[in-house]
Amino acid sequence: MARIAYVNGRYVDHALASVHIEDRGYQFSDGIYEYIAFYNGKLLDADAHFKRLERSLNELEIGLPVAPAALGIIIRELIERNAREDGGLYIQVTRGVAKRDHVFPKNVRPALVMTICGAKTPKPNEFADGVKVITAPDRRWGRRDIKSVSLLANIMAKQEAARQKVREALLVREDGTINEGSASNAFIVSKAGTLLTHPLDENILGGITRDVVLKLARKAGISAEEKAFSISDAKNAAEAFITSTSINVLPVVKIDDKLVGGGKVGEVTKKLGELYNAHILKQTGKVI
Ligand code: PMP
């Protein structure tokens, strides 16, 4: 089956899909994106993702070129045309094509591109055994709450993680506070049993998975606080894990050279992983 992309009103062969070189996304990274997982053809947590998409657009004063209801119809059509049961949907909106000028152009139609890819779920042994991560300086801009296509600092940190053959880089502020991962949110469980993750502010992307996991934890009676923690808090924690739409709840058992939880996946992490899988099952019918 052919891979089909949606580009500004047309469904096109993915291999031939293109945008103009003067698109501001290409020139200035003047755009935003969303990544939504789907199982059995059903989008997971679609409303939350659409809400974040809208927020990112509003923060940058970019309009959505189609009505929200139309967007849902186009997405359904795109998933059908790609004939995939499970996978991921990228939605990318840029300010559009205009003469190069830093100032926002007037009367320009934003560009909407959507692509479908295969599911990016980690290997079963990564869930069972946990993964290693490194810490790296957070070199991103000051509005990390906007899901901007500008990912240079993220990809440089992830590249360093790959070079060191580990799964993720946790991004750290100058004062030693861990913000989040290069493409994930970071959680720890303190020795007292409290779940901690960075509060929502301009230092982190408000992950949809982060939000679901916090709700699931509180519902299960696990005490959870949205409070910043340091590298040393994380290294000395009872448990650690990272979350995102593609990795779900992924246990972390080593940070830099320090084993966390004796190098074993912790009970709270396991429980939250199971609750998250149940959340996917309930919404989409997919057994993870
Ligand atoms: N933080 C960053 C920097 C990310 O790129 C991602 C993945 N999009 C996340 C957190 C996790 O967000 P979500 O759970 O919505 O995928």
Side-chain angles (χ1 to χ4, degrees), residues 33-36 48-49 52 90 140 144 146-148 151 154 168 171 179-186 203-212 243-248 276:
Y33 76 108
E34 266 303 320
Y35 177 72
I36 314 179
H49 281 280
R52 186 172 67 185
Y90 279 96
R140 296 175 298 168
R144 298 151 186 168
I146 298 173
K147 202 163 167 61
S148 146
L151 293 172
N154 305 61
E168 176 61 302
L171 305 180
N179 285 329
E180 60 182 334
S182 74
S184 59
N185 289 110
N203 286 302
I204 68 160
L205 180 76
I208 305 305
T209 322
R210 170 193 176 281
D211 195 42
V212 171
T243 63
S244 84
T245 300
S246 46
I247 60 172
N248 302 346
Y276 191 73

Side-chain angles (χ1 to χ4, degrees), residues 124-145:
N125 71 303
E126 290 187 303
F127 285 120
D129 303 336
V131 297
K132 298 172 193 164
V133 302
I134 52 165
T135 55
D138 194 341
R139 298 198 169 104
R140 296 175 298 168
W141 71 318
R143 289 300 306 274
R144 298 151 186 168
D145 55 315

